[in-house]
Amino acid sequence: MAHCLNLKPSTLQLVQYTASLPMVAKPLYGVLSDVLYIGGARRVPYISVGVLLQGLAWGSLAIFPGAREVLPSLMAFILLSNLGASITEVSQDALVAEYGLRYQINGLQSYALMASAVGGILGNLLGGYCLLKTPPRILFLAFTALLSLQLIVSLSSKEESVNLPRIGEVTPEISSVLGIVKKQFLDLKGIVQVDEISQPLIWIVSSIALVPLLSGSVFCYQTQVLNLDPSVIGMSKVIGQLMLLCLTVVYDRYWKKLPMRALIHIVQLLYAFSLLFDYILVKQINLAFGISNTAFVLCFSSVAEILAQFKILPFSVLLANMCPGGCEGSITSFLASTLCLSSVVSGFTGVGMANMIGITSKNYSNLPAGILIQSLAALVPLWFIHYVPMLEPGFEREGKRAMSKKSRRNRRVGRVIGQESFAYRRERET
């Protein structure tokens, strides 16, 4: 989009965040995944559907030149790809949450993030190599081939392999599909209105939405003004994913038992200061210390992005521990949807700020001021950090040894969704 279609920085960023809109509808996909079974399963089939949509989108971009060289058709296929990706992500997150609840594995999401980081490393290495050696069409073909492999694996996989239950008999009162979906949305509404869930959710969403991102302007500055090769930026993503992998391992082994509020407070501070790395690059302060632009981008360009991703992990673990059985897809998809919506708001706000202060493809003189505004905005969520709980519920319950295992589970479920849903869960377990 930047090199072949010659999009302006603000237009590039606007297009990128508009393409994320299908992910805002993740709660709908999550509810459908919770209540509508396909072939006796409710997670793996949806993964296959999402992968198929992605394969169709990227295969079309690879085969048909007109699809990738005209912005409207390119946007249509990217929206289709992100629709498939959102369905797949919802099903994968729900699968992880359901498995963790069923076998009482606290913090299983950290292992999923480790696997995602490894995938990010391999994917960015492949992408960087293809950008150096081949045109974009070959990269699209390679991605289509990987999606085809994933489709084959998901079609040949069964949920029984991870001991998840198959569909049972549906009671006549909720046999209608619309009735099931409506009931699941009502359950979801009741869950997210509880303070233990709503307050952390408000904080993490606000911490993203309040920061006006200038990612499009920074990318165009790096490639057009500093003349950095896109493969360098791709390699910086590899180093960033390595950092994310290390942070996740350390979190799982050591930081998971720390007070959650203190951990998030430190991460948010680091995120606010890491945004200033772009300021150092734009002002060329790194050259005064003998650090080349290429080396600086490789080492520091992805730090803020990785901290923003890592910050979500404790909240994912928190909500996964508190969601009742049967609502895993609804809860995880609602979290993902709100996070995506906050990112879209952040991106659109960044576009507005860039236009307001006069950042264009020919004039980057006000880019340092925009980066400083970003960093200051990232400090605002610290004013209401009390919305973040001190401890995650899983570790809080571990300390209360006087309560039986069954009592703790009943207390958690009753606190989250009330007596009616608790009765519904007991009926399901029976």
Side-chain angles (χ1 to χ4, degrees):
M1 288 188 290
H3 294 275
C4 298
L5 301 182
N6 297 318
L7 295 185
K8 298 178 181 179
S10 58
T11 307
L12 173 64
Q13 184 168 325
L14 193 64
V15 168
Q16 287 177 323
Y17 283 96
T18 302
S20 301
L21 288 178
M23 297 190 176
V24 178
K26 278 186 174 182
L28 176 59
Y29 319 142
V31 168
L32 293 177
S33 174
D34 278 339
V35 302
L36 293 183
Y37 289 71
I38 301 176
R42 60 175 182 170
R43 306 301 183 200
V44 176
Y46 287 94
I47 294 177
S48 302
V49 171
V51 173
L52 178 61
L53 294 177
Q54 293 179 79
L56 291 174
W58 290 100
S60 300
L61 289 174
I63 296 173
F64 305 110
R68 60 179 182 271
E69 294 174 359
V70 180
L71 183 58
S73 61
L74 178 64
M75 277 296 301
F77 284 113
I78 292 177
L79 288 169
L80 178 63
S81 173
N82 281 344
L83 173 62
S86 59
I87 295 174
T88 301
E89 289 173 4
V90 164
S91 305
Q92 291 173 166
D93 293 342
L95 188 65
V96 171
E98 185 175 0
Y99 189 88
L101 282 175
R102 187 174 183 82
Y103 296 100
Q104 299 180 357
I105 304 175
N106 187 40
L108 189 60
Q109 287 73 19
S110 59
Y111 293 95
L113 188 59
M114 292 179 200
S116 177
V118 172
I121 294 170
L122 298 176
N124 282 293
L125 281 173
L126 176 61
Y129 177 81
C130 289
L131 283 173
L132 281 174
K133 304 293 184 179
T134 64
R137 183 178 67 88
I138 303 301
L139 182 59
F140 296 161
L141 281 174
F143 190 33
T144 304
L146 290 173
L147 288 167
S148 302
L149 176 62
Q150 185 184 2
L151 180 61
I152 294 173
V153 172
S154 59
L155 287 175
S156 60
S157 302
K158 303 295 182 183
E159 290 188 10
E160 290 83 352
S161 61
V162 290
N163 298 322
L164 292 180
R166 293 180 63 85
I167 185 174
E169 293 295 329
V170 181
T171 58
E173 292 79 11
I174 56 173
S175 58
S176 168
V177 173
L178 292 178
I180 299 174
V181 173
K182 181 179 179 181
K183 183 180 185 304
Q184 197 74 7
F185 270 114
L186 290 175
D187 289 344
L188 175 62
K189 180 181 178 182
I191 293 170
V192 298
Q193 286 179 340
V194 177
D195 289 344
E196 287 88 341
I197 290 182
S198 63
Q199 290 185 356
L201 198 60
I202 290 172
W203 191 91
I204 185 64
V205 169
S206 301
S207 69
I208 298 173
L210 289 174
V211 182
L213 288 182
L214 295 171
S215 55
S217 300
V218 172
F219 175 79
C220 290
Y221 180 84
Q222 292 174 345
T223 56
Q224 296 175 5
V225 178
L226 301 181
N227 296 319
L228 295 177
D229 194 274
S231 61
V232 174
I233 301 175
M235 286 302 300
S236 73
K237 303 293 184 183
V238 175
I239 296 175
Q241 292 295 324
L242 280 170
M243 293 170 53
L244 179 62
L245 178 61
C246 295
L247 284 174
T248 309
V249 172
V250 174
Y251 170 80
D252 184 70
R253 292 182 63 86
Y254 305 106
W255 296 347
K256 192 163 58 175
K257 298 180 180 180
L258 295 177
M260 182 176 174
R261 186 182 300 172
L263 176 63
I264 296 299
H265 193 282
I266 294 173
V267 172
Q268 186 66 19
L269 277 175
L270 292 176
Y271 172 68
F273 291 124
S274 65
L275 290 170
L276 296 176
F277 284 134
D278 289 332
Y279 180 86
I280 294 174
L281 181 66
V282 174
K283 286 291 189 179
Q284 296 288 273
I285 300 175
N286 55 293
L287 297 179
F289 292 91
I291 305 174
S292 66
N293 291 330
T294 300
F296 190 85
V297 169
L298 283 174
C299 296
F300 301 106
S301 178
S302 297
V303 173
E305 180 183 352
I306 295 308
L307 288 174
Q309 292 183 32
F310 174 75
K311 179 177 63 176
I312 298 172
L313 176 59
F315 292 91
S316 299
V317 175
L318 172 70
L319 294 184
N321 289 338
M322 298 185 70
C323 75
C327 294
E328 297 88 355
S330 304
I331 295 298
T332 55
S333 62
F334 184 80
L335 172 63
S337 172
T338 53
L339 293 177
C340 179
L341 181 60
S342 62
S343 298
V344 171
V345 171
S346 174
F348 285 0
T349 306
V351 171
M353 184 179 73
N355 290 330
M356 186 180 301
I357 63 179
I359 300 175
T360 66
S361 58
K362 297 181 180 179
N363 182 13
Y364 291 97
S365 59
N366 291 327
L367 183 57
I371 295 173
L372 289 176
I373 295 174
Q374 268 188 316
S375 181
L376 292 175
L379 296 174
V380 174
L382 296 177
W383 291 350
F384 50 99
I385 192 69
H386 59 275
Y387 274 32
V388 180
M390 286 297 298
L391 296 173
E392 295 178 8
F395 298 107
E396 187 178 1
R397 290 194 304 272
E398 288 175 4
K400 299 180 180 180
R401 300 180 180 178
M403 298 176 65
S404 67
K405 181 178 176 181
K406 181 177 180 180
S407 299
R408 291 197 304 269
R409 183 187 64 206
N410 293 352
R411 180 174 180 267
R412 178 192 67 188
V413 176
R415 182 178 70 245
V416 174
I417 60 174
Q419 188 63 32
E420 179 181 355
S421 297
F422 170 54
Y424 169 69
R425 177 173 178 178
R426 289 186 59 186
E427 181 181 353
R428 287 183 70 255
E429 290 179 347
T430 303

